[in-house]
Amino acid sequence: MVAAAAVFYPETLADPRFRLALLAHATLFVLSIAVPWGRLPAGAYAVIPVLDCLAIGFTREAGGPNFNVLSLLLVFPVIWLSVDSNRAGVVLAVAATLLSTLLPAAAFGTPPAQGPIIRTIFLPLVMAAIAVTAHVLAGTLYRQRQTLARKDEALADTAAESIRRQRLLDAVLSTVNVAVWVVDQDGKDVLTNKALETDAALSVAALSVLAPSSTRPRLFQADRTTPVPPERFPTARAAGGETFTDELYWAGEYGAGEGEEMRAYSVTARTMSSTNGNHAGAVITFAEVTALIGALSAKDNFVATVSHELRTPLTSILGYLELVLDEPGHEGIEEELRIVERNAHHLLGLVNDLIAVASERIELTLQDADVAALLAGVVASSRAKAAVCGVELVLDVEEPLAACIDPGRIRQVFGNLVSNAIKFSPDGGKVTARAYRANSHVVCSIADTGIGMDGPEQEQAFTKFFRSARSRETAIPGAGLGLPISKTIVEGHGGSISLRSAPGQGTTVTLTLPS
């Protein structure tokens, strides 16, 4: 502005009013740099732009019509005042614009003319529009900045929480002695813990999954001899969306030497879903149960050995009892001898059950027989016991139902199931025995209205020696062998057996036999 005045209007620089206006600009410029704004109240910043508006007005008025263009400089202090979040800045900007026109004219005694009047009217209006626009834009940007700041804070909190959870997960995974393997939907490795990485047998098994053509399979089924094909590895099954619980696998080299024995693992898999519900992978756990399997095998061997040792003297006792009962002269103690004989037979049956359970293998003699007749015979022989317990015994069969079975063993299954149904209906009720043909199978079911079982008890129902809490509390007799033996017999025939129950609503056991 000074350079333009010196070149085009040198006489203007000689005007003391113009020089005072320029001095005001210089003073405000120095104050803007020198004042420590951070130490002043929040509203103190408005002093400079208001004074700037007045300085521009005095400069324009002192310069005359040739310097009317200086009114455009009002845009800068007006924007300065308007960008504040407080709406008072807009009012102050318009007022400062109006004063920049009125005060210089009054101070210099400028007579009213058409130019100043038009400037007095329209210049504040234009600056008011600029002020409002600047205020709205600044408010929008301010709100966006606040939104971004909140998002940044939320992202920082999320990242911190993610890091905390990751550290917690790492601590948990490194602490547990169960091998954990996380895979994506393609079966690729996502996460493993230290227990898996340090287990040589599982590591080799993992390699055989990733490169089945170059590595011999080192994972075997429960029989320890049948290799698991790559498509049936736990990781492949889990990646395909299959879930399973406590399935037994053996890992290692079959027939390995000392120090390289096979290890048993109980494997469980659970699938993961993405936010849109699609399959996103799975978590697989490997719990080594080699010692447990060995202990169970030792227990079964012990039970089988003891049972065999008990069966020989029991058979001898029963033989001599028959000889004694056949001889005359013991009429006074015959009833007591019959009790001894009955209990000896019961004990021998229990020993035979223990042997069958320990071996998990029962010899079957298959022949064509009528399943309906076998079930009817068991029901007929159980009516006296049912009457004593106040239980109604109902038979519903389709006759005949021919099948290739071991009649003695199937009769034993029916006897176990009907006996259980009566025992576990201590307050009376109804037991229904049904048998019918379904396609190429014979289906039999024994349903009672007794005490029933809850979910966890149903899962353990076919476990050796398991007895429900209610049966122990009510002292219902039994050794927990009936259902396991029945399961072994039925599966030995190529059939299946299942159980459905609810507490207080009874139990239904259903078995299916191929005809």
Side-chain angles (χ1 to χ4, degrees), residues 128-159:
I130 294 174
V132 171
T133 303
H135 180 74
V136 171
L137 290 175
T140 301
L141 294 175
Y142 179 73
R143 287 189 295 272
Q144 289 179 349
R145 185 177 65 180
Q146 286 185 319
T147 301
L148 291 175
R150 287 193 296 269
K151 288 183 178 179
D152 287 342
E153 292 177 358
L155 286 175
D157 293 341
T158 302

Coordinates of all heavy atoms in Angstrom, one line a residue, residues 128-159:
A128 N -21.2 -9.1 6.5 CA -22.0 -9.9 7.3 C -22.2 -11.3 6.6 O -22.2 -12.4 7.2 CB -23.4 -9.3 7.6
A129 N -22.4 -11.2 5.3 CA -22.6 -12.5 4.5 C -21.3 -13.3 4.6 O -21.3 -14.5 4.8 CB -22.9 -12.2 3.1
I130 N -20.1 -12.6 4.4 CA -18.8 -13.3 4.5 C -18.6 -13.9 5.9 O -18.2 -15.0 6.1 CB -17.7 -12.3 4.2 CG1 -17.8 -12.0 2.7 CG2 -16.3 -13.0 4.4 CD1 -16.8 -10.9 2.2
A131 N -19.0 -13.1 7.0 CA -18.9 -13.5 8.3 C -19.7 -14.8 8.6 O -19.2 -15.7 9.2 CB -19.2 -12.4 9.3
V132 N -21.0 -14.7 8.2 CA -21.8 -15.9 8.4 C -21.3 -17.1 7.7 O -21.2 -18.2 8.3 CB -23.3 -15.6 8.0 CG1 -24.1 -16.9 8.0 CG2 -23.9 -14.5 8.9
T133 N -20.9 -16.9 6.4 CA -20.3 -18.1 5.7 C -19.1 -18.6 6.4 O -18.9 -19.9 6.5 CB -20.0 -17.6 4.3 OG1 -21.1 -17.1 3.6 CG2 -19.5 -18.8 3.4
A134 N -18.2 -17.7 6.8 CA -17.0 -18.2 7.4 C -17.3 -18.9 8.7 O -16.7 -19.9 9.1 CB -16.0 -17.0 7.7
H135 N -18.3 -18.3 9.5 CA -18.7 -19.0 10.7 C -19.2 -20.4 10.5 O -18.9 -21.3 11.3 CB -19.7 -18.1 11.5 CG -20.1 -18.6 12.8 ND1 -19.4 -18.6 13.9 CD2 -21.3 -19.2 13.1 CE1 -20.0 -19.2 14.9 NE2 -21.2 -19.6 14.5
V136 N -20.1 -20.5 9.5 CA -20.7 -21.9 9.2 C -19.6 -22.8 8.8 O -19.6 -24.0 9.3 CB -21.8 -21.7 8.2 CG1 -22.3 -23.1 7.7 CG2 -23.0 -20.9 8.7
L137 N -18.8 -22.4 7.9 CA -17.7 -23.3 7.4 C -16.7 -23.7 8.6 O -16.4 -24.9 8.7 CB -16.9 -22.7 6.3 CG -17.6 -22.5 5.0 CD1 -16.8 -21.7 4.0 CD2 -18.0 -23.8 4.4
A138 N -16.4 -22.7 9.4 CA -15.5 -23.0 10.5 C -16.2 -23.9 11.5 O -15.5 -24.8 12.1 CB -15.1 -21.7 11.2
G139 N -17.5 -23.7 11.7 CA -18.2 -24.6 12.7 C -18.3 -26.0 12.1 O -18.1 -27.0 12.9
T140 N -18.5 -26.2 10.8 CA -18.5 -27.5 10.2 C -17.1 -28.2 10.3 O -17.0 -29.4 10.7 CB -18.9 -27.4 8.7 OG1 -20.1 -26.8 8.6 CG2 -18.9 -28.8 8.1
L141 N -16.1 -27.4 10.0 CA -14.7 -28.0 10.2 C -14.4 -28.3 11.6 O -13.8 -29.3 11.9 CB -13.7 -27.0 9.6 CG -13.8 -26.7 8.1 CD1 -12.8 -25.6 7.7 CD2 -13.4 -28.0 7.4
Y142 N -14.9 -27.5 12.5 CA -14.6 -27.7 14.0 C -15.3 -29.0 14.4 O -14.7 -29.8 15.1 CB -15.1 -26.5 14.8 CG -14.9 -26.7 16.3 CD1 -13.7 -26.6 16.8 CD2 -16.0 -26.9 17.1 CE1 -13.5 -26.7 18.2 CE2 -15.9 -27.0 18.5 CZ -14.6 -26.9 19.0 OH -14.4 -27.1 20.4
R143 N -16.6 -29.2 14.0 CA -17.3 -30.4 14.4 C -16.7 -31.6 13.8 O -16.6 -32.7 14.4 CB -18.8 -30.3 14.0 CG -19.6 -29.3 14.8 CD -21.1 -29.4 14.5 NE -21.4 -29.0 13.2 CZ -21.6 -27.7 12.8 NH1 -21.6 -26.8 13.8 NH2 -21.9 -27.4 11.6
Q144 N -16.2 -31.5 12.5 CA -15.5 -32.6 11.9 C -14.3 -32.9 12.6 O -13.9 -34.1 12.8 CB -15.2 -32.3 10.4 CG -16.5 -32.3 9.5 CD -16.1 -31.9 8.1 OE1 -15.0 -31.5 7.8 NE2 -17.1 -32.1 7.2
R145 N -13.6 -31.9 13.0 CA -12.3 -32.1 13.8 C -12.6 -32.8 15.1 O -11.9 -33.7 15.5 CB -11.6 -30.8 14.0 CG -10.2 -31.0 14.7 CD -9.5 -29.7 14.8 NE -10.3 -28.8 15.7 CZ -9.9 -27.6 16.1 NH1 -8.8 -27.0 15.5 NH2 -10.6 -26.8 16.9
Q146 N -13.7 -32.4 15.8 CA -14.1 -33.0 17.0 C -14.5 -34.5 16.8 O -14.1 -35.4 17.6 CB -15.2 -32.3 17.7 CG -14.8 -31.0 18.3 CD -16.0 -30.4 19.0 OE1 -17.1 -30.4 18.6 NE2 -15.8 -29.8 20.2
T147 N -15.2 -34.7 15.7 CA -15.6 -36.1 15.3 C -14.4 -37.0 15.1 O -14.3 -38.1 15.6 CB -16.5 -36.1 14.1 OG1 -17.7 -35.3 14.4 CG2 -16.9 -37.5 13.8
L148 N -13.4 -36.4 14.3 CA -12.2 -37.1 14.0 C -11.4 -37.4 15.3 O -10.8 -38.4 15.5 CB -11.4 -36.4 13.0 CG -11.9 -36.3 11.6 CD1 -11.0 -35.4 10.7 CD2 -12.0 -37.7 11.0
A149 N -11.4 -36.4 16.2 CA -10.7 -36.5 17.4 C -11.3 -37.6 18.3 O -10.6 -38.5 18.9 CB -10.7 -35.2 18.2
R150 N -12.6 -37.7 18.3 CA -13.3 -38.7 19.1 C -13.0 -40.1 18.5 O -12.8 -41.1 19.2 CB -14.8 -38.5 19.1 CG -15.2 -37.3 20.1 CD -16.7 -37.3 20.3 NE -17.5 -37.1 19.1 CZ -17.8 -35.9 18.7 NH1 -17.5 -34.8 19.5 NH2 -18.6 -35.7 17.6
K151 N -13.0 -40.1 17.1 CA -12.7 -41.4 16.4 C -11.3 -41.8 16.7 O -11.0 -43.0 16.9 CB -13.0 -41.3 14.9 CG -14.5 -41.2 14.6 CD -14.6 -41.1 13.1 CE -16.1 -41.1 12.7 NZ -16.3 -41.0 11.2
D152 N -10.4 -40.8 16.7 CA -9.0 -41.2 17.0 C -8.9 -41.7 18.4 O -8.2 -42.7 18.7 CB -8.1 -39.9 16.8 CG -7.9 -39.6 15.4 OD1 -8.2 -40.4 14.5 OD2 -7.5 -38.4 15.1
E153 N -9.6 -41.1 19.4 CA -9.6 -41.6 20.7 C -10.2 -43.0 20.8 O -9.6 -43.9 21.5 CB -10.4 -40.6 21.6 CG -9.7 -39.3 21.8 CD -10.5 -38.3 22.7 OE1 -11.6 -38.7 23.1 OE2 -10.1 -37.2 22.9
A154 N -11.3 -43.2 20.1 CA -11.9 -44.5 20.1 C -11.0 -45.6 19.5 O -10.9 -46.7 20.0 CB -13.3 -44.5 19.4
L155 N -10.3 -45.2 18.4 CA -9.4 -46.1 17.8 C -8.2 -46.4 18.7 O -7.8 -47.6 18.8 CB -8.9 -45.5 16.5 CG -9.9 -45.6 15.3 CD1 -9.3 -44.8 14.1 CD2 -10.3 -47.0 14.9
A156 N -7.8 -45.4 19.4 CA -6.7 -45.6 20.3 C -7.1 -46.5 21.5 O -6.3 -47.4 21.9 CB -6.2 -44.2 20.9
D157 N -8.3 -46.3 22.0 CA -8.8 -47.1 23.0 C -9.0 -48.6 22.5 O -8.7 -49.5 23.2 CB -10.2 -46.6 23.6 CG -10.0 -45.3 24.3 OD1 -8.9 -45.0 24.7 OD2 -11.0 -44.6 24.4
T158 N -9.5 -48.7 21.3 CA -9.7 -50.0 20.7 C -8.4 -50.7 20.5 O -8.2 -51.9 20.8 CB -10.4 -49.9 19.4 OG1 -11.7 -49.3 19.6 CG2 -10.7 -51.3 18.8
A159 N -7.4 -49.9 20.0 CA -6.1 -50.5 19.8 C -5.4 -51.0 21.1 O -4.8 -52.0 21.3 CB -5.2 -49.5 19.1

